[in-house]
Amino acid sequence: MAKSDQATCEVKVEGAWQPVTAAEAYAQHRSAQKRCPECHGQVMTVSTYSHTIRIRLSHRKGHDGCSLQPDRFKGVRSPHPQALA
Ligand SMILES: [Zn+2]
């Protein structure tokens, strides 16, 4: 079972989207554009400190058609209205 800090996003590197883990995006691609691999909406990395630093992904604009946002997902996947191309 995947841990939440193994979440992946896509970062734009030299004009091409590449999948990376949230931790890699945070450490190595902080200024690059990032998008959700499912709905292609823009995401940002958010670090939380408890016992260890955890990096998670947060949609910049919420979207209820993305299963990677379980607190908002309404059960039907749809592209983000402001998807990054
Ligand atoms: Zn999404």
Side-chain angles (χ1 to χ4, degrees), residues 6-13 16-26 28-29 33-38 40 43 57:
Q6 294 298 306
T8 60
C9 64
E10 294 179 343
V11 295
K12 201 165 202 177
V13 179
W17 292 103
Q18 300 189 2
V20 297
T21 65
E24 285 171 340
Y26 182 78
Q28 295 166 29
H29 302 284
Q33 276 195 315
K34 302 168 196 68
R35 72 179 185 181
C36 171
E38 182 174 311
H40 292 177
V43 297
L57 296 167

Side-chain angles (χ1 to χ4, degrees), residues 39-84:
C39 71
H40 292 177
Q42 188 170 7
V43 297
M44 52 196 174
T45 51
V46 180
S47 57
T48 54
Y49 296 80
S50 51
H51 298 293
T52 55
I53 300 173
R54 291 167 56 96
I55 311 297
R56 62 185 182 82
L57 296 167
S58 175
H59 286 66
R60 204 170 266 270
K61 280 232 161 70
H63 172 50
D64 58 23
C66 178
S67 70
L68 299 180
Q69 251 188 320
D71 50 335
R72 283 194 60 152
F73 186 48
K74 294 212 171 131
V76 180
R77 290 188 175 94
S78 63
H80 196 286
Q82 295 176 357
L84 296 178

